[in-house]
């Protein structure tokens, strides 16, 4: 399961250095399983050092000495991990919901404005897309271990699944154009911007309040370097909104170029 220099939990090099004598694939699977079990990074680092010490001194492979990495990871994990892989800060979750709705509403409003419409037509396709996006977000918020395990163990199938889901969402917009209502473009835009801003501010407050922290894998006695992955996440939805609006504008300009 060697995915270049990255996995779903950060750079592989940040923790393979703790066990240079251990097979890389064994380490990746062990770390992945412990992450999914909610084991803290410092505890994982301690376990890797123990494995490295035994392998380097005995000459045995990690597989021969400790068995299958996922089984050993479950055996080695504490009975009550300090954090749960299914637990997410409530304010962070609310912020994601607000940000997602704000992103979609702002983008749809911009598309209508670019097309010269004064009102945003709400269609059945919009509701289907919103329902699918909400379901995917709920899965990530309340059962994140399910998609993470799927992505890690079956990356190709997961990619195909996500592409299929994207096709269904786009198809819903194109194939279900039945209008069920309309709202002024400017009102819809204002609501979308407010939701997006509220989500951004809640995410930033959760991050600054220390409720969303990076958990790097470190060895005994090591201090984690300052990381900014959590802060970067705060800007994902606003930046995605800008990109989507820009792409929508570009598509609107293409017919006039020919």
């Amino acid at each position: 399961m060697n995915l270049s220099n990255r996995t779903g939990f950060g750079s592989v090099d940040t923790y393979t250095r703790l066990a240079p004598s251990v097979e890389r694939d064994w380490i990746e699977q062990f770390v992945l399983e412990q992450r999914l079990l909610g084991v803290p990074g410092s505890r994982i680092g301690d376990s890797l050092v123990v494995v490295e010490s035994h392998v380097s001194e005995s000459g045995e492979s990690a597989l021969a000495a400790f068995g299958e990495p996922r089984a050993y990871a479950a055996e080695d994990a504490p009975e009550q991990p300090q954090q749960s892989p299914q637990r997410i800060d409530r304010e962070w979750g609310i912020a994601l919901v607000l940000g997602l709705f704000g992103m979609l509403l702002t983008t749809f409003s911009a598309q209508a404005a670019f097309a010269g419409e004064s009102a945003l037509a709400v269609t059945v396709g919009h509701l289907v897309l919103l329902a699918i996006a909400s379901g995917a977000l709920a899965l990530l918020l309340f059962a994140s271990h399910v998609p993470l395990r799927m992505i890690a163990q079956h990356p190709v199938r997961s990619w195909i699944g996500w592409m299929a889901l994207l096709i269904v969402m786009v198809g819903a917009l194109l194939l279900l154009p039945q209008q069920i209502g309309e709202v002024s473009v400017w009102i819809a835009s204002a609501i979308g911007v407010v939701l997006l801003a509220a989500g951004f501010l809640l995410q930033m407050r959760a991050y600054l309040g220390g409720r969303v922290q990076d958990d790097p894998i470190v060895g005994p006695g090591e201090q984690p370097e300052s990381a900014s992955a959590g802060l970067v996440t705060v800007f994902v939805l606003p930046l995605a909104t800008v990109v989507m609006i820009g792409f929508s504008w570009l598509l609107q300009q293409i017919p006039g170029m020919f």
Side-chain angles (χ1 to χ4, degrees):
M1 194 189 67
N2 189 346
L3 304 179
S4 182
N5 255 0
R6 304 288 299 178
T7 67
F9 297 103
S11 171
V12 175
D13 292 335
T14 60
Y15 51 81
T16 52
R17 63 181 179 77
L18 297 175
S21 303
V22 182
E23 300 90 336
R24 189 184 183 96
D25 186 63
W26 194 96
I27 295 178
E28 289 184 36
Q29 294 184 51
F30 173 82
V31 170
L32 169 64
E33 190 65 25
Q34 290 228 317
R35 283 297 203 189
L36 291 174
L37 292 171
V39 179
S42 58
R43 176 72 164 75
I44 297 175
D46 292 343
S47 297
L48 288 176
V49 170
V50 170
V51 173
E52 166 64 19
S53 177
H54 179 87
V55 169
S56 61
E57 292 177 5
S58 68
E60 289 184 284
S61 68
L63 183 62
F66 298 96
E68 291 292 334
R70 290 194 179 96
Y72 178 68
E75 177 185 334
D76 179 70
E79 294 184 2
Q80 293 182 335
Q82 296 180 18
Q83 58 185 1
S84 168
Q86 303 175 32
R87 185 178 181 182
I88 188 169
D89 179 74
R90 178 178 299 179
E91 187 170 300
W92 187 269
I94 294 174
L96 287 177
V97 173
L98 293 176
L100 175 64
F101 288 179
M103 179 184 71
L104 293 175
L105 187 56
T106 303
T107 303
F108 290 147
S109 300
Q111 290 172 345
F114 294 151
E117 304 290 340
S118 60
L120 170 63
V122 181
T123 68
V124 174
H126 285 138
L127 297 184
V128 171
L129 184 148
L130 186 60
I132 294 175
S134 299
L137 182 59
L139 182 64
L140 292 174
L141 289 176
F142 302 110
S144 59
H145 63 293
V146 175
L148 288 177
R149 192 180 296 276
M150 183 65 183
I151 292 170
Q153 296 179 5
H154 307 285
V156 176
R157 295 181 187 177
S158 300
W159 183 84
I160 293 174
W162 285 113
M163 289 301 99
L165 186 62
L166 180 61
I167 291 173
V168 170
M169 294 170 71
V170 174
L173 289 176
L174 297 177
L175 301 177
L176 299 173
Q178 297 85 354
Q179 184 174 331
I180 58 176
E182 62 179 32
V183 60
S184 167
V185 164
W186 299 113
I187 293 177
S189 298
I191 295 174
V193 170
V194 169
L195 291 176
L196 195 61
F200 172 80
L201 292 175
L202 286 177
Q203 280 188 293
M204 182 63 76
R205 188 169 77 168
Y207 175 78
L208 295 177
R211 297 192 299 278
V212 181
Q213 294 292 331
D214 298 317
D215 183 29
I217 296 175
V218 294
E222 293 182 345
Q223 294 297 322
E225 298 179 0
S226 58
S228 58
L231 181 61
V232 171
T233 306
V234 174
F235 292 90
V236 167
L237 287 177
L239 289 177
T241 303
V242 173
V243 171
M244 292 172 65
I245 291 177
F247 185 67
S248 299
W249 177 84
L250 182 61
L251 289 179
Q252 190 66 33
Q253 304 307 307
I254 290 178
M257 297 179 181
F258 299 97

